Amino acid sequence: MKKYFLCIACPVILSFLITGCSVKREEKILKQKKTQALDSYVSSLSLEEKVGQMFIENLEGSRKFVPVEHYKDLSDTVDSVSVSKALVPGGYIFFSYNLDDKIENVMEFTDSIREYAFNNDIIIPFLAIDQEGGLVNRLRALNGPLPSNERVVQKLNSQKAYRLYELQAVQMRALGFDMNLAPVAEICTEFNKDFLNGRSFGSGEEVIEFGKACVQAYEQNGIATVLKHFPGNTNTDPHTGLPEIKLSMQELNDSLEPFYELLNFSSCVLMSHARTTALDKDIPACLSYEWVTGVLKNKLGYKGIIFSDDIFMGALQDNGYSPEKACVMAVESGVDCIMISEKRFSKAAKVLIQKAREDTAFADRINESVKKIILYKIQKGSFIYERQDREKNDYELTLKPALNKTDISERLDSFNTAKKENIQIYTEYFYNK
């Protein structure tokens, strides 16, 4: 009986294995074709367009998008893009003054950015905001209440925290955002607690447990997260001074354990301006090749987008790193996207363009980052793969119509439903407690 079973089963198993191998081979070929489409698309971009993708900056207004820069602002560096075309960065950061107090108006504003980009054949920017909770809560006048990380740990377990952040993600997505510049993944210590001021989840174990709940809640609901600030801070505010982390390599590694645990769950990570005595002691981490490429990329194998912190902060400007110098150093270090709190980036972009024309290795470094940023935007739905040749199974990467084009009334319903539950959780666990 046993032999009979084997005789019948073997051909079935063999057929199953052959089919499985065929499927895997087709998946591999499809992946290769899509990689070729990505490479081809990035190659088709001008140097000016590539460099534009490597900036995230602030924007004007709160009701309808109007670009403030055009390729003509790059003056003599422009040679392959219409000078009248709007110069749009890879992403925008919203501050409180970019947020109307009426929910529908915020939705229309974020829609107008994507619509403008699509209608003018511009790569759609990601729309980001600082929504940590507590003191750093840009959407406090719109979303349901979001306590600080410290209070979340005090009042909720990680499952309930996941739900709170999930509800925030639904509200953010309905408003039109796709990236949250959060959470802080630093352990709270005597050396940084005054600066962090409740922004940390607490101990290493707490940061890992609640940080994972936070990151997954946002990422699984369409909002990219940005872990910050790697490799840490001190009580010196980088807006006004240069933080110096004076820990041994072992102590530093111990403090970074939450980052090591959370990196693979998060789309992005943001570098701090801190200098560390244990590694590359003279260079701020966001400009350090040893930190960005040596540790994050090579040692940890991180493949997500790496942001610099704001290059206009005093930590850099007051210590010999002008925005233009910092931009070049950031790219050379391995940073993919440079954060600027200003509303214009053409001056810094010109420096990168000129450097790339003179240095092929620098140009290659730009291409590497741009591919990563475009791949992220593919995953977030800003592009689609269109099959061009069915016989060869070739694909072309094209811009997808603006996101969040569902009726605003539907988005309002989604927003209000999530906000109602958000308020219920806050009332039960935080209000007057």
Side-chain angles (χ1 to χ4, degrees):
M1 190 71 173
K2 199 172 193 178
K3 289 182 179 179
Y4 177 74
F5 172 78
L6 288 173
C7 290
I8 298 298
C10 284
V12 174
I13 292 171
L14 182 61
S15 175
F16 176 78
L17 290 174
I18 291 172
T19 301
C21 289
S22 176
V23 170
K24 286 183 179 179
R25 186 168 58 252
E26 289 178 5
E27 289 176 348
K28 184 178 180 180
I29 292 172
L30 179 59
K31 185 177 180 180
Q32 290 173 340
K33 293 290 186 180
K34 289 185 174 181
T35 298
Q36 290 170 1
L38 171 61
D39 291 343
S40 177
Y41 181 82
V42 172
S43 296
S44 73
L45 298 175
S46 68
L47 178 57
E48 296 89 350
E49 289 171 311
K50 291 175 185 177
V51 167
Q53 287 301 296
M54 297 184 69
F55 286 90
I56 178 170
E57 65 166 358
N58 187 217
L59 73 167
E60 291 277 6
S62 62
R63 294 297 299 272
K64 185 175 179 60
F65 176 70
V66 177
V68 298
E69 291 189 295
H70 296 77
Y71 281 97
K72 65 183 179 182
D73 295 308
L74 297 174
S75 63
D76 57 325
T77 65
V78 178
D79 58 20
S80 51
V81 182
S82 169
V83 293
S84 63
K85 189 173 183 178
L87 183 60
V88 174
Y92 283 114
I93 316 169
F94 282 62
F95 290 108
S96 298
Y97 50 78
N98 298 124
L99 301 169
D100 193 89
D101 56 6
K102 193 173 181 182
I103 295 167
E104 297 95 317
N105 291 343
V106 176
M107 294 177 177
E108 290 174 358
F109 184 39
T110 55
D111 278 355
S112 75
I113 298 169
R114 293 186 172 96
E115 288 169 5
Y116 181 93
F118 181 75
N119 292 337
N120 290 276
D121 195 29
I122 294 169
I123 299 172
I124 296 170
F126 43 75
L127 305 184
I129 196 163
D130 282 292
Q131 186 66 1
E132 295 177 16
L135 294 173
V136 185
N137 184 352
R138 306 287 186 218
L139 296 171
R140 67 175 72 252
L142 297 166
N143 281 18
L146 183 61
S148 68
N149 291 344
E150 183 178 72
R151 289 201 72 205
V152 166
V153 173
Q154 291 170 353
K155 300 295 183 180
L156 303 179
N157 59 34
S158 56
Q159 290 76 26
K160 186 63 72 173
Y162 176 95
R163 183 57 179 162
L164 176 64
Y165 293 126
E166 181 178 40
L167 293 168
Q168 282 285 319
V170 172
Q171 293 167 82
M172 290 177 70
R173 189 70 177 167
L175 289 171
F177 295 101
D178 52 39
M179 181 178 288
N180 188 2
L181 298 169
V184 170
E186 297 173 58
I187 297 172
C188 184
T189 70
E190 288 297 318
F191 305 108
N192 64 15
K193 69 176 184 178
D194 293 339
F195 169 65
L196 292 181
N197 195 17
R199 298 165 69 193
S200 169
F201 289 108
S203 68
E205 292 79 8
E206 289 168 331
V207 176
I208 291 170
E209 180 182 1
F210 284 83
K212 185 175 180 181
C214 178
V215 167
Q216 291 188 318
Y218 283 112
E219 293 278 355
Q220 292 169 4
N221 288 278
I223 302 293
T225 54
V226 183
L227 294 180
K228 58 188 190 185
H229 314 77
F230 188 85
N233 274 292
T234 68
N235 284 323
T236 299
D237 188 336
H239 292 86
T240 56
L242 184 60
E244 303 273 3
I245 300 176
K246 298 177 180 179
L247 299 175
S248 69
M249 200 66 226
Q250 183 58 56
E251 290 171 326
L252 194 52
N253 273 324
D254 291 343
S255 74
L256 292 174
E257 188 63 30
F259 282 98
Y260 300 156
E261 292 289 331
L262 298 175
L263 277 170
N264 289 332
F265 298 101
S266 186
S267 296
C268 317
V269 64
L270 184 146
M271 302 299 298
S272 78
H273 291 323
R275 290 194 298 208
T276 61
T277 56
L279 181 67
D280 209 7
K281 63 184 179 64
D282 297 323
I283 308 296
C286 67
L287 310 180
S288 166
Y289 180 89
E290 292 191 47
W291 269 115
V292 180
T293 296
V295 176
L296 265 180
K297 292 185 175 181
N298 294 343
K299 182 180 178 182
L300 301 178
Y302 186 64
K303 299 186 183 303
I305 297 173
I306 301 174
F307 287 91
S308 75
D309 207 340
D310 181 9
I311 60 168
F312 279 91
M313 284 185 180
L316 297 185
Q317 287 215 79
D318 298 339
N319 288 279
Y321 301 99
S322 66
E324 293 74 32
K325 180 179 179 179
C327 282
V328 172
M329 291 184 68
V331 174
E332 290 177 329
S333 76
V335 162
D336 301 304
C337 196
I338 298 161
M339 184 175 291
I340 292 183
S341 57
E342 304 291 311
K343 298 178 178 66
R344 289 168 173 77
F345 70 97
S346 59
K347 186 177 179 181
K350 282 192 280 188
V351 175
L352 298 188
I353 291 168
Q354 192 59 45
K355 175 75 173 174
R357 288 188 176 139
E358 298 168 354
D359 185 340
T360 55
F362 192 81
D364 290 341
R365 176 74 272 290
I366 287 174
N367 284 332
E368 177 188 324
S369 288
V370 174
K371 283 182 185 179
K372 192 186 295 186
I373 291 165
I374 298 299
L375 181 59
Y376 162 84
K377 292 185 176 185
I378 292 169
Q379 294 165 349
K380 291 299 178 183
S382 295
F383 290 88
I384 53 175
Y385 288 105
E386 288 189 339
R387 186 176 290 180
Q388 298 299 302
D389 187 323
R390 291 193 172 276
E391 289 187 7
K392 295 181 180 179
N393 205 24
D394 285 341
Y395 288 82
E396 181 179 47
L397 198 59
T398 59
L399 286 171
K400 182 181 178 180
L403 304 180
N404 280 334
K405 284 298 291 179
T406 51
D407 188 88
I408 280 186
S409 64
E410 289 181 40
R411 288 160 61 189
L412 270 173
D413 287 343
S414 174
F415 180 92
N416 288 327
T417 300
K419 183 174 181 177
K420 181 179 179 181
E421 186 181 345
N422 186 159
I423 293 172
Q424 289 171 345
I425 291 175
Y426 182 81
T427 302
E428 180 177 356
Y429 292 97
F430 297 93
Y431 188 66
N432 287 336
K433 295 179 183 179

